[in-house]
Amino acid sequence: MNHTYDAGDRLEAQIGTSVRQATYITGRDGMAVVKLDNGYNLGIPYDSCRFLERPGQSVARKPIVTQRDELPVLSIVSTGGTIASRIDYRTGAVTSQFDAADILRAIPGLSSIGRFRTKQLYTILSENMTPAIWQELARAVHEEIVSGARGVIVTHGTDTMAYSAAALSFMLDTPVPVIFVGSQRSADRPSSDNAINALCAAKTAVSELGEVAVVMHTTTSDDSCSIHRATRVRKMHTSKRDAFTSIGVPPIGTVKYPTLDVTLAAHARKRRETEPMVLPDLEPGCGLLSFVPGMDPAVLDAFSGYRGLVIAGTGLGHVSTAWIPALRTLAKDGCMLAMTSQCLNGRVCDRVYDTGRDLISAGVIEAENMLPETALVKMMWVLGNEDDPDKAAGMMKEDLKGEIEGRSVHGL
Amino acid sequence: MDYKTVGLKAGIEIHQQLDSRTKLFCRCPTSLREFEEHTDEYFRFLRATESEMGEIDEAAREEMKNERRFCYYTYDTTCLVEDDEEPPQPLNPEALTISLTIAKMLGMSPVGQIHTMRKLVIDGSNTSGFQRTALVALDGAIPVDVLPGGGGIETICLEEEAAQRVDDHTFSLDRLGIPLVEITTSPCMKTPEEVQEVAGYLGMVLRSTGKVKRGLGTIRQDINISISGGARVEIKGVQELDLIAEVVRREVRRQENLLSIRDELIRRGAGVREEPVDVTHVFSATSSGILKKADRILALVLPFFGGLVGREIQPGRRLGSELSDYAKKCGLGGIFHTDELPGYGVTPEEVSELRTATGASDRDCVIIVAGPEKKVHCAVLQVIKRARLAFEGIPEETRRMLEGGSTSYMRPLPGAARMYPETDVEPVYSRGIWGAIQVPELITKRIGRLKDLGLDPGVAEHIGYSEQYPLFEKALNQGVPPALAARTLTSTVKELRREGVAVDHISDDELIGALAAVGDGRAAKEAVPEILRLIAGGTPLADALEQCAGRVSVQDLGDIVRAVVRERQQFVIERGMASLGPLMGVVMAEVRGSVDGKVVSDCLKDEIRRILQET
């Protein structure tokens, strides 16, 4: 009878000298996990279980949701993430619940902001994202924009959300808000930030914004969300609600909670400033390498054949002088090299010290104050769309989507 | 009252904080703080989530009626885990061992693979919106000498403590996450006194581990009560053991009265008119402050309820209080009803106008719900819900104890729908811990043993229950006389502390060393306070013993006594042997307690006698 139970089967469970009726949930580390009638799960050896019966499937009653015709259409494109997920009773895994009705049931407040349509592109963990998926995502979002969505919300795992959001910034010209949102604390907990983030994202999606942005908690409190420019945002904490931070620029707006009042900053791009367009080509042969003291220049051999390499250097943008010959070789072989800083804050300047000047002469581009990850996806996009190396290098140093700030503003 | 006839069945849940070094799912200390010490505060909302079965727990749904913004205090002794900003760390093995020890003491069967669950609690007391809890053992016994016929312990769970409430919406995070055990008995108690007796017994078992926290609020009892024809009611948070029996008595009375109200309602053919009437205009010129302030006033007619809503069901509580409790869930302060009107600023004219406006007769009761538009409608539905339940008798509820032992409604009884697996915590195993657990001696048994050692029963009880007991036993093992050890630990140390002596600076070994010196005659027992004073002030034990013990020899004592008596010769002649008492004080002060009182007394007596003979 071992291991042949189905989730939901009624069993008699022997625990020491005690016998209880229970429901089979799953197997775990060779033991049967059963749920007692008081709701507690516990694991017991399979030979302590005795089958009683297999009840008929009971379907949970779901309340019906209605959408209001007079509200603007918002499109939700899902890549995974946990905006509305719960544990699967059968498998014990967290599953994503995803159709408009599921989301509106999970976050009822959304139904007073917009009329929702949904597109489930992927159900993956964000660490499994690839440039190919970014491209598909860009096309899907573009389709939603041209088919009349007043705004697009992309639900996304938070780990690589900033990469995807930055990638879409370069691939898309958008006249409407394209809002990336996720949750730092899982949606299956009453304290999850998913609902407030989603409500603030939806409200931003109907606002006057006209660019790609990330909307997440401003602080640990459920008081407001910040609207971050996709090319300037970075996940700066592993677990906190306010992990997402705009680096080197103020956020482009805020949404107060629970009033959901949206305030956009002067430097935010506004709705209808541009026509919708998608240029989804990317050059996937690009890398990002963080230099550490003593790192063997032979590491660079791994990037031979790459079309581009972003280096996160030390301080103002340095690597060991021992790297100069290897970098020169890479550049000669047609690999675009761009220097960013591990400091994240501040501008790269390779004209202060000798090493820097050597780097420039070896063909390394100073990537200004671009974030290393943004520089990487930008390089992929630039090399995917521009064949001329000089023009491509010029584009790397030019501000295309707010990724480079010309002025380093006091106080940030 | 004959509780057998009413069919009383009661069980208890005991919640006891464990005295582990760190919290259950993080490595913060388990220390409580003063609210003023908080370092920061933040705000959160909670919303009910579905269980793994796709249901929303009834109790959680009720809490959601009034969306509330909770404030939390942080401390330098709390971390991101309490903030629900970081995943929990593995279940604290020290706390697991303590809980399994208790399980073993109660004769329970341990769970092999222990799973941590999330128990949905969205009243704000948990930042996450759930309490982490794990069932660690099942089925133990309450001995027959505690409960006639014996009884059962159903489960023991290891849980995290909730945050402490500062005020209505504000919670302090110092307490959140302290490990606690929840022991649930079967409904095996049949009288109020039995409930109290079993609670006392379980408290004693818990204390016998020496690993539980002590002091106000560290142990709480929930009581489950039902009577024949009634329903299960859970009363939460009874902190005083002495009140338990009274709480049970009052709950039985409440259930009986609600049943008789039910019978009366059915006999009268009473009902609930489900359509509320807007009576805002009736009170446009009222002198009742609450009604004057209200945006909206709705009236609900309860036909043939007249007189029953105001009938007392428990000291200080009426059916009206129950209706009011339900309405409060919508964020209102309460309700008015015609059984208590005119009054509260409402005039007889307004009452009769109210009856006219609603078409209610004198035999009906009219409920008035006043406040902001949204809350009023929510509250009316709640009143209707509770009024309907009056026809069934007693609703299954979780209730809160009020001062004196009556109770008020908190929320519906939660069900299994509130349990959800804690996916962030790996299961743990009892195998490997269980076998190695040494079952501690029960305090009751310990006290018996101390009495056999010749200790006074009061002292035996005192030291037996005392936190100092492990030290006491250590002292005994090193040859310290039991009475001396008991007296020093239960009173001398306390007196010194009261004097302001830094007794915490005295190590266990130093204390035992000092007592052992008395035991083998190297110091007088009167010298103990002085020795301890010196040690607390930084003097090494050996020096302290020397300063106090070696200083006054028998020869010196003779000299001191002679000098004291000669100086007061006139006094001795006048008072005779009665001068002994006053002179004892003088000599003891001179020798600073370094000589046994009996020796001093003998020496003094001789000297006084000599003086008296000489004259």
Side-chain angles (χ1 to χ4, degrees), chain A residues 20 35 86 189 191 220 239, chain B residues 50 52 84-85 133 139:
Chain A
R20 296 288 163 98
K35 181 181 280 296
R86 68 155 183 259
R189 57 180 65 219
S191 60
T220 191
S239 58
Chain B
E50 293 177 353
E52 59 191 317
D84 188 47
E85 285 277 47
T133 174
D139 290 344

Side-chain angles (χ1 to χ4, degrees), chain B residues 65-171:
Chain B
K65 284 198 193 307
N66 186 25
E67 194 183 35
R68 292 194 293 164
R69 181 170 177 265
F70 301 110
C71 173
Y72 297 99
Y73 285 177
T74 67
Y75 298 85
D76 53 9
T77 47
T78 63
C79 73
L80 292 187
V81 173
E82 286 97 330
D83 291 349
D84 188 47
E85 285 277 47
E86 187 175 283
Q89 294 187 22
L91 185 128
N92 179 344
E94 184 191 6
L96 178 63
T97 304
I98 301 171
S99 63
L100 285 170
T101 304
I102 296 163
K104 203 166 183 177
M105 292 170 81
L106 294 170
M108 304 180 77
S109 301
V111 167
Q113 189 185 50
I114 297 165
H115 288 249
T116 300
M117 306 293 290
R118 299 171 173 177
K119 181 157 55 176
L120 205 64
V121 182
I122 57 168
D123 63 1
S125 61
N126 290 71
T127 45
S128 55
F130 50 76
Q131 180 184 27
R132 296 190 184 90
T133 174
L135 178 58
V136 302
L138 294 130
D139 290 344
I142 301 166
V144 284
D145 57 344
V146 175
L147 184 67
I153 311 277
E154 288 182 350
T155 54
I156 177 165
C157 297
L158 179 56
E159 309 191 323
E160 52 182 1
E161 176 66 287
Q164 193 163 2
R165 201 182 284 270
V166 177
D167 59 40
D168 206 19
H169 294 150
T170 306
F171 293 88

